Amino acid sequence: MRSLLCVLWLFCGCVVVDVACDVSEWRQEALNAVPQLALLHAPFTPFNNDSTRSLNVDVIPTMAKTAADFGVTVIWTCGGMGEFYTMTVDERKSINEAWVTNGHKNNLYVIAHVGTTVLQDAIEMAKHAKSIGADAVASVPPYYETPGTINELIEFLKAIAEAVSPLPLYYYHIPGSTHVNINAADLLAAASTSLPELLGIKFVSSDTHDWYNCVQSYNNTHVLMYAPEPKLQSFGLGLGRGAVLAEDFFAPTYIRMHREYLNGNHAASQVEQEWKFSAAAVFSQYGGGLAERNVYRKINGVHLGPRRLPTASFDESNYTPMIEGLEKVGFFNQTW
């Protein structure tokens, strides 16, 4: 795959710019490398139950196989659920390396999230991700001193992209957490000329109008993945390349929902969305994300450990009623 940088040709004493720059060829190759249905899982980071909540990368091989068995096709490392904001650069490199190695063993497309407020750290992690064979890198925008314009955001992202070209770049659009309240569609429009390395967006925003504008204009040229619930609402606005499941164990219901919708059986797809709500309600009742971390003890025997401070630990008295509640809704008997 050739570099995205334009080649300058000397002809008759004149400098002529090859304006095509093979960008369209690069983009098509990059899109072809992405699974046709991009079902993104942003895994929890496993920690040991010790004083520092040290990393427990030994369980990632099992986690990767579990994700693939559920139907996940894309891994997004060190996201918000993965608590990237509590981890050192070296820790994030370790997680990225474990997921690239084990994700590829399970035919998973691995996006290494390297975003941070420190640009040089992001570049360092991006270079490491490229060196270990990540399929792409991704970044949140700076979230303390936030960019005031899209051009400022692109300048930040471009420094990361150029450091690892021709590796694709994904943007982590999560304005509720970063307070960078741009429209994703406006970013895609500006990036078409100034940031051609941008291949996709993880869309974690309740702005359905913005999502509609994205899929109407950029669905054929970018990997657009929708996160908010209900997932079903995005189908009518325009199906992207896939979805941000966050949790791998919700892949089966999304696959069924997506299939029924495409087959014109909208009532059946609504049933799947209703089931997703019922399962999520059980988790919410017994600790939300803390409960979700602990359900893997039943799914595959993996203990992900406690979250890092300042988050409280899981209340063990909730474990048995949580499992019983999930069994009542058929959570452990999913097929697709």
Side-chain angles (χ1 to χ4, degrees), residues 6-233:
C6 295
V7 179
L8 297 180
W9 298 95
L10 294 177
F11 181 70
C12 297
C14 299
V15 177
V16 180
V17 179
D18 178 5
V19 292
C21 303
D22 292 323
V23 171
S24 60
E25 178 184 339
W26 169 87
R27 182 167 296 279
Q28 193 56 56
E29 289 180 0
L31 289 170
N32 289 343
V34 180
Q36 192 59 39
L37 182 58
L39 296 183
L40 186 151
H41 170 45
F44 294 110
T45 295
F47 299 120
N48 290 304
N49 190 11
D50 54 26
S51 61
T52 61
R53 306 292 197 261
S54 59
L55 296 184
N56 180 15
V57 296
D58 292 343
V59 302
I60 290 181
T62 301
M63 294 171 67
K65 184 180 185 303
T66 297
D69 288 346
F70 273 128
V72 165
T73 58
V74 177
I75 295 295
W76 180 286
T77 71
C78 300
M81 283 175 42
E83 301 179 64
F84 75 91
Y85 45 84
T86 71
M87 296 161 64
T88 68
V89 169
D90 285 342
E91 285 178 325
R92 291 177 67 176
K93 287 180 180 179
S94 295
I95 292 294
N96 287 341
E97 191 162 344
W99 270 108
V100 168
T101 299
N102 293 285
H104 287 171
K105 287 180 181 178
N106 289 275
N107 298 314
L108 298 169
Y109 181 93
V110 181
I111 303 171
H113 176 237
V114 301
T116 175
T117 58
V118 183
L119 181 56
Q120 289 306 312
D121 286 350
I123 291 172
E124 178 184 339
M125 287 186 284
K127 288 181 176 179
H128 174 261
K130 182 181 181 182
S131 74
I132 61 175
D135 296 292
V137 296
S139 181
V140 287
Y143 50 85
Y144 191 83
E145 288 290 340
T146 58
T149 66
I150 286 179
N151 286 339
E152 290 176 358
L153 173 59
I154 286 178
E155 185 176 357
F156 180 89
L157 297 174
K158 194 166 187 65
I160 300 170
E162 288 182 341
V164 294
S165 180
L167 212 60
L169 173 72
Y170 287 75
Y171 177 62
Y172 193 174
H173 183 57
I174 183 166
S177 296
T178 63
H179 307 294
V180 178
N181 295 306
I182 64 158
N183 287 325
D186 292 340
L187 173 62
L188 290 168
S192 62
T193 55
S194 55
L195 186 62
E197 300 91 343
L198 182 64
L199 188 67
I201 290 185
K202 180 182 177 182
F203 190 95
V204 191
S205 167
S206 60
D207 189 342
T208 52
H209 187 198
D210 189 23
W211 171 257
Y212 175 81
N213 288 335
C214 288
V215 293
Q216 291 304 308
S217 298
Y218 301 101
N219 213 23
N220 294 327
T221 56
H222 292 77
V223 180
L224 305 175
M225 297 173 288
Y226 186 83
E229 290 293 342
K231 294 286 191 296
L232 189 57
Q233 72 176 339

